């Protein structure tokens, strides 16, 4: 049997173990997977679209002449400005309700780092107040001649109403894929809708229908599975939960929201798993693998589709008329609206964020323009007037927007509290119970040597690892903030950590539970549970160069080995949005559980790991891998190579684990580090070097400490922060010296600069001069350094106090820097005595102190 045949047999058998109902479709997918590996070749790089080979979809909602007549009646009385406004979406950080009196914008959104009235941690009541203010403002703008057009309010409620403090946080989609339970996913969709409508938001940008083919992609956890059949089934179930069943009285009713199928099309298949990258496959693979979820969700009545940032064989989706219009709208019969992604239209050739008739003409009906919406409105109005956008295309887009608004009852919405979803549903016991059930059903057991699991709760149990008592880590990105960072335990009032769930049950059974993150227990335990895994991230911030979970540094492995060396059995609980190469950690553990990103209900983990007090099993493992597990850290993609564990793998308590040790050669050469990490524990990371420069510009690398520049202007010493010499104290003794992080291979920070990403420094300001010039800058590949003033910001920080301080990357762009090719992302210069200690420098979206952009220097 050749290798491809072997892969097919293993995948097929795993499919049957996973679900008899999905078995036939799963085997077909295995065949498609083999074909796709062949198709992803240069020979398949055609961008010609053949609509006739795509499926036709039976409409979920039959034609409604009365609805269409109402659309025509409304449009007949709309002004041109009102029509153009329906094509524009603004972010709440840049638009206020009163702006709608001047700009009749059709929709607003709260982006990942946008909060009600500028507060990301706003209360539900505060969110409702803002949303209602937008609704009322839009409906004030009508007259006897021209109707008022309601505004839609969109948000990324992707695993619950996850932007809201106190909301129920369900497992991320990669975990839900492991349940293979469409009824559960539908119920989660309905609960998410209720908690979203409780604050009067009526539109969610979910579900994600990506079919990830390479887990190095930072958005893998947003996809249900690598298998298109699973994605199609669960995606349709979530749409029905969010919107209600088409044709029912409850469809898009008061407790439901408008759903969004995203991102059309092929975002999960980009080359090397690069976010916003290029999906290099044939049209047949694009249809059969990446298009499967759109067939099912259109059939389930989804009302909006979001276009993808990504490209197909080199052509950006936001400009692809063949796929957006000929396939999606005409062939597949989608009659809702197509919304763009965050400024994605600005990436089209000839377009900017403020002007893009090309995207509208290709079939995007609503352009998501968070900051430049005023200019976009003015430019689009002019482009309609001069014929760059035809009247027919404008009217088609407006009709689609109105069709969705009318179906959703937006014209009939009342701002009064009567009939609203009560705030009490947010984090309600029923929703938390549902989330806990989802955690139980999604856990996948990869190893259980000697049947160590389930554990006796009467024992002494040590709970260790940095994920044990961290709801943020167990929830992942898109949790209150965009990246899921910058949050504290107080921001999860209705949540339970894994440690808390374990302690509750062990204590109730008469056992003893001890939390020791680093494994330094007070009393030797009978068994240890080590909870570890990925730190939160979202979108391109999660892109990886390889599959090694901790970039070959082995900190969690050392903890597991330490405990095993002390004669303590270890159950490893892995928190991650995707399978990663952890062979050494699996080998070192007695049992290994893939817990994915379970969300707010850590007690669900305890339900499965622990026996009942009487010794009976509480809950068995049901989860089956929704993604194949990588065999090495450096393989091209887990779906293309012989996997360590195939799609559909998952042990139960009835299974005997007779597997031998896994291979421990990662294939990595040296240490690999995450993109955007420049200094960690006081040391330059990867290809970056810490450099000192004299006033005359003579550079010198800091290879050890203490070190100083050639003229003695700047001196660096090692000091302790959280560990021995894990920080660098930098003292300027003479004017003009520079401390910088440089690389000979320039980095492209254009995408990060266009978003909310910042240069984040973990520092302590020991002594800041009262006068003089201190600047922070970046050096371009051409050698030019663009600087912004930094002394005033440092002077305002509390002295001798560790904190994270951030400067948005856009500050450097506004100062004139070209962020597409940066040779030094951190350049600090002072002409006065300065005493500063640094531990970490990275790209992130959150910090204790976020600085406003100063004027250029």
């Amino acid at each position: 049997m050749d290798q491809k045949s072997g892969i097919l047999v293993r995948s097929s058998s795993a499919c049957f173990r996973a679900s008899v109902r999905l078995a036939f479709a799963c085997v077909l997918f295995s065949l498609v997977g083999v074909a796709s590996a062949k198709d992803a070749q240069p020979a398949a790089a055609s961008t010609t679209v053949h609509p006739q080979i795509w499926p036709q979809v039976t409409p979920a909602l039959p034609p409604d002449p009365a609805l269409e007549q109402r659309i025509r009646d409304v449009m007949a009385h709309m002004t041109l400005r009102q029509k153009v406004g329906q094509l524009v979406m603004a972010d709440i950080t840049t638009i206020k309700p009163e702006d709608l009196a001047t700009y009749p914008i059709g929709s607003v959104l709260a982006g990942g780092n946008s909060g009600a009235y500028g507060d990301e941690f706003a209360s539900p009541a505060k969110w409702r107040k803002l949303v209602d203010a937008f609704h009322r403002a839009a409906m004030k703008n009508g007259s006897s001649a021209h109707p008022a057009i309601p505004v839609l309010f969109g948000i990324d409620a992707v695993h619950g109403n996850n932007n809201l403090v106190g909301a129920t946080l369900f497992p991320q989609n990669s975990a839900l894929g492991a349940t293979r339970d469409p009824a559960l996913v539908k119920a989660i969709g309905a609960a998410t809708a209720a908690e979203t409508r409780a604050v009067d938001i009526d539109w969610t940008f979910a579900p994600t229908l990506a079919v990830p083919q390479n887990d190095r992609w930072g958005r893998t956890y947003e996809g249900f599975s690598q298998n298109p059949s699973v994605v199609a089934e669960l995606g349709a179930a979530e749409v029905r939960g969010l919107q209600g069943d088409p044709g029912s009285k409850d469809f898009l009713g008061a407790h439901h929201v408008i759903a969004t199928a995203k991102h059309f099309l092929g975002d999960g298949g980009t080359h090397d798993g690069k976010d916003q990258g290029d999906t290099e496959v044939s049209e047949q693979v694009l249809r059969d693998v990446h298009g499967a979820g759109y067939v099912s969700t259109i059939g389930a009545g989804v009302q909006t589709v979001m276009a993808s940032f990504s490209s197909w064989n080199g052509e950006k989706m936001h400009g692809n008329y063949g796929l957006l219009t000929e396939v999606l709208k005409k062939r597949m019969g989608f009659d809702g609206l197509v919304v763009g992604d965050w400024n994605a239209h600005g990436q089209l050739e000839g377009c900017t964020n403020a002007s893009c008739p090309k995207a509208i003409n290709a079939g995007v009906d609503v352009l998501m323009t968070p900051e430049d919406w005023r200019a976009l409105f003015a430019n689009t109005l002019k482009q309609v007037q001069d014929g760059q956008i035809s009247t027919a295309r404008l009217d088609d887009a407006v009709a689609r927007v109105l069709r969705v608004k009318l179906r959703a009852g937006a014209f009939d919405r009342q701002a009064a509290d009567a009939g609203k979803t009560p705030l009490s549903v947010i984090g309600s016991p029923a929703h938390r119970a549902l989330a806990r059930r989802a955690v139980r059903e999604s856990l996948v057991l990869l190893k259980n040597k000697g049947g160590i699991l389930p554990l006796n709760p009467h024992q002494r149990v040590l709970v260790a690892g940095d994920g044990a008592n961290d709801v943020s880590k167990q929830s992942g990105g898109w949790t209150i903030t965009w990246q899921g960072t910058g949050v504290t335990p107080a921001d999860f009032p209705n949540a339970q950590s894994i440690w808390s769930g374990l302690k509750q049950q062990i204590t109730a059974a008469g056992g003893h539970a001890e939390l020791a993150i680093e494994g330094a227990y007070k009393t030797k335990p009978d068994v240890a549970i080590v909870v570890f895994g990925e730190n939160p991230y979202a979108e391109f911030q999660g892109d990886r160069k390889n599959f090694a979970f901790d970039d070959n540094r082995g900190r969690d492995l050392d903890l597991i080995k330490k405990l095993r060396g002390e004669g303590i059995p270890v159950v490893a609980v892995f928190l991650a949005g995707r399978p990663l190469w952890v062979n050494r950690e699996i080998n070192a553990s007695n049992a290994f559980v893939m817990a994915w990103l379970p969300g707010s209900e850590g007690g669900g983990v305890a339900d499965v790991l622990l026996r009942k007090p009487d010794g009976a099993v509480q809950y068995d493992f049901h989860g089956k891998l929704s993604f194949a597990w990588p065999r090495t850290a450096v393989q091209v993609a887990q779906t293309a190579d012989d996997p360590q564990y195939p799609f559909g793998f998952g042990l139960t308590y009835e299974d005997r684990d007779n597997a031998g040790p896994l291979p421990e050669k990662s294939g990595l050469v040296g240490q690999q580090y995450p993109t955007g990490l420049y200094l960690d524990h006081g040391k330059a990371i990867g290809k970056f070097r810490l450099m000192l420069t004299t006033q005359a510009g003579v550079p010198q690398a800091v290879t050890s400490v203490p070190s100083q520049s050639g003229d003695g202007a700047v001196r660096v010493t090692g000091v302790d922060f959280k560990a021995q010499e894990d920080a660098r104290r930098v003292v300027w003794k003479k004017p003009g010296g520079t401390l910088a992080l440089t690389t000979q291979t320039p980095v492209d920070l254009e995408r990060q600069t266009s978003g909310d990403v910042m240069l984040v420094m973990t520092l302590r300001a020991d002594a800041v001069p009262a006068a003089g010039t201190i600047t922070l800058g970046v050096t371009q590949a051409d050698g030019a350094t663009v600087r912004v003033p930094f002394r005033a910001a440092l002077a305002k920080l509390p002295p001798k106090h560790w904190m994270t301080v951030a400067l948005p990357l856009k500050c450097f762009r506004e100062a004139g820097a070209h962020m597409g090719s940066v040779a030094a992302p951190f350049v600090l210069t002072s002409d006065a005595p300065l005493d500063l200690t640094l531990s970490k420098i990275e790209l992130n979206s959150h910090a204790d102190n976020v600085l406003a952009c100063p004027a250029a220097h």
Side-chain angles (χ1 to χ4, degrees):
M1 181 181 295
D2 63 22
Q3 185 180 17
K4 289 178 181 176
S5 298
I7 292 173
L8 175 58
V9 170
R10 280 188 290 273
S11 297
S12 300
S13 62
C15 290
F16 279 96
R17 288 198 303 274
S19 170
V20 173
R21 179 166 38 85
L22 288 175
F24 182 67
C26 193
V27 173
L28 289 179
F29 167 68
S30 300
L31 293 169
V32 171
V34 173
S36 66
K38 296 178 181 178
D39 281 323
Q41 303 296 326
S46 172
T47 58
T48 302
V49 177
H50 303 85
Q52 69 276 9
I53 73 169
W54 290 75
Q56 292 180 300
V57 182
T58 301
L61 300 172
D64 184 345
L67 172 66
E68 297 306 310
Q69 183 58 51
R70 189 174 179 188
I71 292 171
R72 289 191 293 271
D73 291 344
V74 172
M75 290 181 62
H77 295 89
M78 290 175 69
T79 67
L80 181 59
R81 286 177 59 83
Q82 282 182 310
K83 287 184 177 181
V84 170
Q86 300 307 299
L87 279 59
V88 178
M89 174 184 281
D91 187 81
I92 60 172
T93 57
T94 62
I95 190 171
K96 297 178 180 178
E98 50 265 33
D99 291 327
L100 297 183
T102 304
Y103 295 92
I105 301 302
S107 54
V108 296
L109 83 151
N113 277 340
S114 303
Y117 300 102
D119 181 7
E120 289 182 88
F121 305 95
S123 67
K126 202 172 183 179
W127 272 100
R128 179 186 275 188
K129 179 181 178 182
L130 176 69
V131 177
D132 284 351
F134 274 106
H135 290 326
R136 287 193 299 269
M139 299 311 289
K140 285 181 180 177
N141 296 329
S143 67
S144 58
H146 306 294
I149 308 298
V151 68
L152 294 180
F153 196 115
I155 201 165
D156 287 276
V158 293
H159 65 123
N161 189 5
N162 42 262
N163 295 268
L164 189 66
V165 171
T168 307
L169 300 172
F170 295 96
Q172 300 272 9
N173 281 355
S174 57
L176 296 182
T179 71
R180 307 293 202 276
D181 190 339
L184 172 64
V185 172
K186 182 181 179 181
I188 289 172
T192 298
E195 295 202 18
T196 304
R197 280 304 292 268
V199 292
D200 286 350
I201 294 174
D202 46 20
W203 186 6
T204 177
F205 306 131
T208 296
L209 302 177
V211 188
Q213 301 296 288
N214 190 319
D215 290 351
R216 290 181 289 171
W217 184 39
R219 304 192 76 158
T220 295
Y221 65 77
E222 296 184 49
F224 290 110
S225 176
Q226 71 181 53
N227 183 309
S229 298
V230 174
V231 173
E233 184 173 36
L234 298 187
E238 183 172 353
V239 166
R240 289 178 178 273
L242 290 167
Q243 296 189 159
D245 291 314
S248 70
K249 293 182 179 179
D250 199 33
F251 180 69
L252 290 176
H255 306 304
H256 288 283
V257 295
I258 300 164
T260 307
K262 70 180 188 184
H263 307 85
F264 190 86
L265 184 62
D267 52 336
T270 60
H271 181 67
D272 284 340
K274 183 179 180 181
D275 192 43
Q276 303 184 18
D278 192 13
T279 300
E280 302 170 5
V281 299
S282 69
E283 188 177 5
Q284 288 75 18
V285 171
L286 189 70
R287 176 195 65 195
D288 297 340
V289 176
H290 302 287
Y294 296 92
V295 176
S296 67
T297 54
I298 292 171
V302 72
Q303 290 298 290
T304 71
V305 171
M306 182 178 288
S308 178
F309 269 108
S310 60
S311 305
W312 174 52
N313 292 335
E315 183 175 348
K316 282 284 184 183
M317 283 303 311
H318 273 65
N320 196 314
Y321 177 85
L323 290 172
L324 290 175
T325 298
E326 295 291 338
V327 169
L328 177 63
K329 292 181 174 180
K330 295 182 178 179
R331 179 67 177 180
M332 298 173 76
F334 174 66
D335 66 356
L337 70 86
V338 174
V339 60
D341 208 340
W342 188 280
N343 281 333
H345 58 275
Q347 297 182 359
L348 297 183
E349 185 177 357
C351 289
T352 67
N353 293 346
S355 177
C356 195
K358 184 175 182 179
I360 296 171
N361 288 332
V364 180
D365 301 305
V366 177
L367 298 183
M368 188 184 291
T369 316
E371 298 174 339
D372 298 316
W373 54 271
R374 289 181 180 84
L376 179 71
F377 176 84
N379 289 328
T380 304
L381 181 63
K382 183 176 183 299
Q383 288 153 5
V384 171
Q385 291 170 331
D386 65 19
Q388 291 185 61
I389 299 170
S390 69
T391 300
R393 173 65 193 113
L394 173 66
D395 285 348
D396 172 61
V398 174
R400 289 173 175 275
V401 173
L402 293 180
R403 187 175 295 117
V404 173
K405 290 182 176 182
L406 287 164
R407 283 174 175 166
F411 279 80
D412 307 315
R413 181 189 295 112
Q414 298 296 319
D417 287 336
K420 286 188 176 184
T421 304
L423 293 177
S424 60
V425 307
I426 298 169
S428 69
H431 290 171
R432 291 190 63 188
L434 178 65
R436 187 163 177 158
R437 174 191 159 199
V439 174
R440 291 195 297 262
E441 291 193 22
S442 64
L443 300 178
V444 179
L445 181 60
L446 297 182
K447 179 181 180 179
N448 192 22
K449 278 298 180 183
I452 185 176
L453 290 175
L455 297 175
N456 178 354
H458 300 289
Q459 301 181 94
R460 288 186 173 274
V461 181
L462 172 70
V463 183
D466 65 0
N469 197 30
D470 191 335
V471 177
S472 172
K473 185 158 183 162
Q474 72 190 41
S475 299
W478 294 108
T479 299
I480 301 180
T481 68
W482 173 38
Q483 294 292 321
T485 56
V487 289
T488 68
D491 300 320
F492 300 100
N494 296 327
Q496 185 178 48
S497 70
I498 293 173
W499 151 249
S500 177
L502 289 165
K503 179 186 179 183
Q504 185 179 62
Q505 293 192 36
I506 293 168
T507 302
H512 180 268
E514 179 181 351
L515 176 66
I517 300 300
E518 303 296 333
Y521 49 81
K522 296 177 181 178
T523 304
K524 186 174 180 179
D526 298 309
V527 66
I529 299 173
V530 177
V531 187
F532 66 102
E534 292 189 288
N535 291 320
Y537 58 83
E539 299 191 44
F540 53 81
Q541 289 290 88
D543 283 0
R544 301 188 63 89
K545 295 180 180 178
N546 57 63
F547 288 96
F549 131 74
D550 71 345
D551 303 294
N552 216 25
R553 285 175 281 184
R555 296 169 185 165
D556 299 290
L557 177 62
D558 291 343
L559 173 59
I560 295 170
K561 286 184 173 180
K562 169 187 175 294
L563 294 170
R564 289 296 306 276
E566 295 166 357
I568 302 169
V570 172
V571 175
V573 177
F574 189 48
L575 299 174
R578 52 192 165 187
L580 294 171
W581 189 79
V582 284
N583 283 15
R584 295 173 299 173
E585 289 83 357
I586 293 174
N587 283 343
S589 307
N590 298 84
F592 196 94
V593 176
M594 178 52 161
W596 309 97
L597 297 172
S600 61
E601 301 310 310
V605 175
D607 290 344
V608 182
L609 296 191
L610 300 174
R611 293 181 180 272
K612 293 180 180 179
D614 64 4
V617 172
Q618 288 196 84
Y619 295 94
D620 203 345
F621 281 91
H622 294 287
K624 304 300 178 185
L625 288 179
S626 42
F627 299 85
W629 204 278
R631 182 171 291 274
T632 72
V634 295
Q635 62 194 56
V636 175
Q638 83 284 1
T639 58
D641 298 302
D642 187 19
Q644 185 67 65
Y645 299 105
F647 167 84
F649 180 85
L651 299 172
T652 69
Y653 284 141
E654 295 180 355
D655 295 323
R656 297 186 63 182
D657 185 359
N658 297 317
L662 305 180
E664 294 196 359
K665 291 185 178 180
S666 68
L668 295 173
V669 179
Q671 289 188 324
Q672 309 288 318
Y673 296 96
T675 301
L677 181 62
Y678 304 137
L679 184 83
D680 194 22
H681 292 78
K683 297 180 180 180
I685 291 300
K687 62 185 179 181
F688 288 90
R689 295 186 300 169
L690 192 62
M691 302 291 295
L692 297 176
T693 305
T694 67
Q695 185 179 23
V698 179
Q700 176 180 318
V702 178
T703 56
S704 62
V705 290
S707 182
Q708 66 179 15
S709 59
D711 59 358
V714 191
R715 179 176 174 82
V716 178
T717 56
V719 297
D720 297 346
F721 173 31
K722 294 183 177 180
Q724 185 175 0
E725 292 199 355
D726 64 340
R728 296 292 178 262
R729 183 183 180 189
V730 190
V731 179
W732 275 258
K733 294 186 175 182
K734 297 180 182 180
T738 295
L739 176 76
L741 283 161
T742 68
T743 175
Q744 293 182 338
T745 307
V747 292
D748 182 356
L749 300 181
E750 191 65 42
R751 286 165 59 203
Q752 290 88 333
T753 304
S754 298
D756 293 322
V757 179
M758 305 179 290
L759 183 69
V760 179
M761 299 151 279
T762 302
L763 58 78
R764 185 184 68 197
D766 295 319
V768 179
T773 301
I774 301 173
T775 62
L776 183 63
V778 296
T779 299
Q780 301 167 175
D782 61 7
T785 299
V786 176
R787 310 174 193 271
V788 297
F790 197 46
R791 191 197 62 78
L794 287 177
K796 293 179 181 178
L797 301 179
K800 302 183 183 301
H801 178 74
W802 280 104
M803 63 189 309
T804 53
V805 178
L807 186 70
L809 290 179
K810 64 182 180 182
C811 298
F812 299 116
R813 181 182 61 192
E814 291 175 4
H818 300 292
M819 302 299 288
S821 186
V822 176
F826 173 87
V827 181
L828 184 62
T829 303
S830 178
D831 68 359
L834 171 64
D835 189 341
L836 194 70
T837 303
L838 293 156
S839 176
K840 190 174 186 178
I841 300 174
E842 63 179 331
L843 300 184
N844 209 321
S845 66
H846 251 278
D848 299 325
N849 193 312
V850 177
L851 308 177
C853 292
H857 179 78

